[in-house]
Amino acid sequence: MQSEKTRGLHVAIVMDGNGRWATRRGLPRVAGHRAGVAALRQVVERAPDLEIATLTVYAFSSDNWRRPRHEVQGIFWLMRAYLRLELGKLCRRGVRLQFIGRRDRLPPALLLDLIEAESATSHGGGLHLRVAVDYSSQDSIAQAAANAANTLSQQRPVCSQLMRQVLTQALTAEGGDVDLLIRTGGEKRLSDFLLWETAYAELLFVDRLWPDFDAAGLDAALAEFSRRERRFGAVPPSAMYPAIPSIGGLP
């Protein structure tokens, strides 16, 4: 297994709590999303210092289409504004942007901006920043399974192990497995985010709302991660060779 030290960490974040942050201050919900963009800026700047190679953030889920139209439009406007303001800085820092999720339902102007941003940063050798937009992990898995079934249709029989290998390749080829998933806002669920990729991820749920999450919050999350023992289903080395108890008083 490739070591975390060699490949760098893959951290995923469910950026939850923008709307509640604004509501508690008597502000429109879009103000919370604007504050959330500022928090994202801090996290993106800090991530490489913490040996994070890949950062995947949940910006807009497929279920978020159920929100009021003006809020959805505000979120998309903020995405475009973020790209206009930050793209040059991201390029200089070697950040490679990738957008995951459906593209057929996005507004044409936003889609064009996403594609241009991916192209402009495609040669970045630093942080790999993946932004999930109109994303559903269940849809991604279903699509990968359908593609795999078509690819393997000529093979008889198709064993479950082979199917698992094909799906793993399809779903983790770009970002790899997630090492640490952080969810802000106090909720304790994955909300259809990277379900396959987080099979052995460490989960960290924090009460702080996303606009209040900053570089120090990321530092604290990585410190907590470093204290955890990841066994991936195996026995820790210290437990493999237990001391043999003495018998009858003999050493």
Side-chain angles (χ1 to χ4, degrees):
M1 183 179 297
Q2 192 177 24
S3 70
E4 295 164 359
K5 191 74 173 178
T6 300
R7 63 181 173 85
L9 294 173
H10 182 180
V11 174
I13 305 179
V14 180
M15 305 181 293
D16 192 21
N18 291 341
R20 283 174 286 159
W21 183 91
T23 300
R24 291 176 184 179
R25 289 161 174 77
L27 300 171
R29 288 175 60 87
V30 70
H33 296 302
R34 185 179 297 110
V37 169
L40 176 61
R41 183 182 297 112
Q42 288 196 50
V43 168
V44 169
E45 292 177 355
R46 181 60 175 157
D49 299 331
L50 301 174
E51 298 185 355
I52 297 173
T54 303
L55 178 66
T56 304
V57 296
Y58 211 0
F60 187 85
S61 78
S62 295
D63 289 328
N64 287 154
W65 289 108
R66 302 173 184 174
R67 296 187 175 186
R69 180 178 177 83
H70 69 273
E71 182 177 348
V72 171
Q73 291 176 334
I75 292 172
F76 290 160
W77 184 89
L78 285 169
M79 288 182 187
R80 299 190 65 197
Y82 175 82
L83 291 176
R84 288 195 298 269
L85 293 172
E86 299 293 320
L87 186 57
K89 186 185 300 182
L90 295 175
C91 289
R92 290 191 295 273
R93 291 179 174 170
V95 175
R96 179 165 70 94
L97 267 172
Q98 179 189 10
F99 296 91
I100 61 174
R102 291 183 59 169
R103 302 193 175 200
D104 57 303
R105 299 189 293 192
L106 298 179
L110 173 61
L111 179 58
L112 180 60
D113 285 349
L114 301 188
I115 293 172
E116 290 180 348
E118 286 182 325
S119 177
T121 62
S122 60
H123 298 294
L127 177 69
H128 183 191
L129 176 58
R130 304 166 76 230
V131 183
V133 182
D134 196 0
Y135 175 85
S136 161
S137 184
Q138 290 181 331
D139 286 352
S140 296
I141 294 170
Q143 185 61 58
N147 293 341
N150 292 332
T151 301
L152 301 173
S153 61
Q154 302 303 316
Q155 304 185 37
R156 296 292 188 273
V158 178
C159 67
S160 61
Q161 182 62 29
L162 178 58
M163 177 64 81
R164 178 172 177 168
Q165 291 174 356
V166 172
L167 289 178
T168 298
Q169 173 63 24
L171 294 165
T172 65
E174 285 289 339
D177 290 323
V178 174
D179 298 297
L180 171 65
L181 183 140
I182 304 167
R183 179 170 186 146
T184 62
E187 303 292 353
K188 297 176 174 62
R189 55 179 177 268
L190 297 182
S191 296
D192 198 14
F193 184 47
L194 303 177
L195 301 178
W196 187 281
E197 298 91 318
T198 56
Y200 281 98
E202 294 295 317
L203 308 181
L204 181 62
F205 301 103
V206 297
D207 292 331
R208 188 181 304 181
L209 301 177
W210 174 247
D212 294 325
F213 195 87
D214 53 15
L218 187 64
D219 288 348
L222 268 292
E224 168 63 24
F225 174 78
S226 69
R227 290 190 288 268
R228 299 189 182 183
E229 183 180 43
R230 307 183 72 199
R231 298 188 295 273
F232 300 95
V235 176
S238 60
M240 292 182 67
Y241 303 102
I244 299 175
S246 59
I247 302 175
L250 296 176

